[in-house]
Amino acid sequence: MAITGSGSLAISFYVLVISAAFLHKGAAETVTVDSQNLATDNVSVIEGETATISCRVRDNDDSVIQLLNPNRQTIYFRDVRPLKDSRFQLVNFSDNELRVSLSNVSLSDEGRYVCQLYTDPPQEAYADITVLVPPGSPIIESREDKVSEGNETELTCISMGSKPAASIRWMKGEDELTGETTVEENYDRMFTITSRVRFSVTKEDDGVPVDCIVDHPAVKDLLAQRHLEVLYKPEVKIVVTYPDGLTREGDNLDLTCIAEGKPQPNQINWLRVDEDVPPHAVVTGSDLYIENLNKSYNGTYRCVASNAVGEAYDDYTLYVYDSRAGEGAPQKIDHAVIGGVVAVVMFAILCALIVLGRYFARHKGTYFTHEAKGADDAADADTAIINAEGGHNNTDEKKEYYI
């Protein structure tokens, strides 16, 4: 046999059949390819990683094995490397296996590798090697930095330089959004993926994260995130600082207007609906103060707050009572105490009824009055009356007759 100067081997009497497989850290996707006495694997490997090429022979009768690259150049002839590419290194050589490592895999290494085993007839098997190129970090962009409540916003996510093409998912908080995706293949067989999503926002969306999640077989947990900034009109609430109870003639009234929005309200105004505010009312910022109330001040007082998004208001209805209103009012009845007393009385009555019932049941029977004693044995009415008095027949005692 002779070795050519180009690094490939010319074999006179032997044809070497080799099986090749690229394995990425033991987790590469492989598909076993069998050719008679050979076994090889189709493999996907990530760019820049180290792959392992394994050629396996089931039953070797001393036939020679060699490995060819996609250009049909011999990488290894038995345990000799004629190809001047130091990235290939021998890992194991035996009668049943030729195993070679390839470091720093690049896109140019992709293609079909040939295993040759010289038998009669010669055998060949092929291993297709796919190089995966992970995408770069995604970029998320917004049509506007801030959006007002009720309006629609649009976000765009771009993932560049992947092979094969990546896919993009959208999440707003815990909710998944549906985007429109376009895929563009570049001249270097790389792909650029662009996804857009549109949705309307509310003030509750302020600060909520929106995630652009990129899925690719070469990488996990790749995402870009953007927090929504939503502008909304103020929320207004009037709080009575004084008095705590009824507003009576002669009292003072102190109201505070609480207004929150995004951006913060730049203007707060007090007014009286359908009437003028009392002339001696004092407005200090968000506070309204009226002293020495009288019934002419009755009405609806309104606090109006506004910002760049809009305005909102809250109303307070003032009713001024007589100066002695609420005095001498009956105290509140404690219904719980009344219920307890009624329960105790009812229980006492029930116990008394039970005791009386048991007493009468014990003395139940037939009895005669004193006047009726001896009446049953008397021969006539006179005798019955005599026998009933004292229970004996003494004829000398006083007798009574009835006509």
Side-chain angles (χ1 to χ4, degrees), residues 136-145 153-160 168-172 177 193-197 199 208-214 222-228:
S137 297
I139 301 172
I140 187 170
E141 299 175 346
S142 177
R143 188 171 59 189
E144 60 276 306
D145 293 333
T153 187
E154 177 180 293
L155 300 178
T156 302
C157 185
I158 302 174
S159 175
M160 298 183 293
I168 291 178
R169 294 181 292 117
W170 289 94
M171 296 292 294
K172 187 185 78 169
L177 304 176
I193 299 88
T194 303
S195 181
R196 292 181 176 85
V197 66
F199 55 91
V208 173
V210 177
D211 296 334
C212 166
I213 305 171
V214 177
L222 190 61
L223 63 84
Q225 187 177 84
R226 187 182 186 92
H227 288 81
L228 296 173

Side-chain angles (χ1 to χ4, degrees), residues 84-256:
K84 294 181 180 180
D85 188 344
S86 60
R87 295 181 304 149
F88 291 97
Q89 294 294 322
L90 183 65
V91 177
N92 179 56
F93 174 72
S94 66
D95 291 339
N96 299 102
E97 183 185 30
L98 173 62
R99 191 189 311 165
V100 179
S101 66
L102 172 60
S103 60
N104 194 23
V105 177
S106 67
L107 195 61
S108 61
D109 295 321
E110 190 175 63
R112 173 168 289 186
Y113 289 76
V114 182
C115 297
Q116 291 182 340
L117 177 65
Y118 188 78
T119 57
D120 187 15
Q123 301 175 36
E124 282 192 356
Y126 307 98
D128 292 326
I129 305 304
T130 301
V131 178
L132 305 177
V133 181
S137 297
I139 301 172
I140 187 170
E141 299 175 346
S142 177
R143 188 171 59 189
E144 60 276 306
D145 293 333
K146 301 176 182 178
V147 58
S148 299
E149 62 175 334
N151 292 342
E152 185 180 75
T153 187
E154 177 180 293
L155 300 178
T156 302
C157 185
I158 302 174
S159 175
M160 298 183 293
S162 65
K163 180 181 175 297
S167 61
I168 291 178
R169 294 181 292 117
W170 289 94
M171 296 292 294
K172 187 185 78 169
E174 300 296 327
D175 301 326
E176 186 167 359
L177 304 176
T178 301
E180 300 176 358
T181 302
T182 58
V183 179
E184 179 184 356
E185 184 175 2
N186 303 325
Y187 68 92
D188 54 357
R189 295 185 294 167
M190 298 293 188
F191 293 88
T192 297
I193 299 88
T194 303
S195 181
R196 292 181 176 85
V197 66
R198 300 178 184 88
F199 55 91
S200 298
V201 299
T202 64
K203 65 180 180 180
E204 287 76 16
D205 291 325
D206 184 45
V208 173
V210 177
D211 296 334
C212 166
I213 305 171
V214 177
D215 295 322
H216 191 271
V219 68
K220 293 181 179 180
D221 301 328
L222 190 61
L223 63 84
Q225 187 177 84
R226 187 182 186 92
H227 288 81
L228 296 173
E229 188 166 358
V230 180
L231 306 179
Y232 52 91
K233 65 182 181 180
E235 293 180 331
V236 184
K237 181 180 180 180
I238 296 177
V239 177
V240 180
T241 306
Y242 184 85
D244 293 334
L246 298 177
T247 49
R248 303 181 182 88
E249 288 184 305
D251 286 348
N252 300 328
L253 176 66
D254 193 356
L255 303 178
T256 299

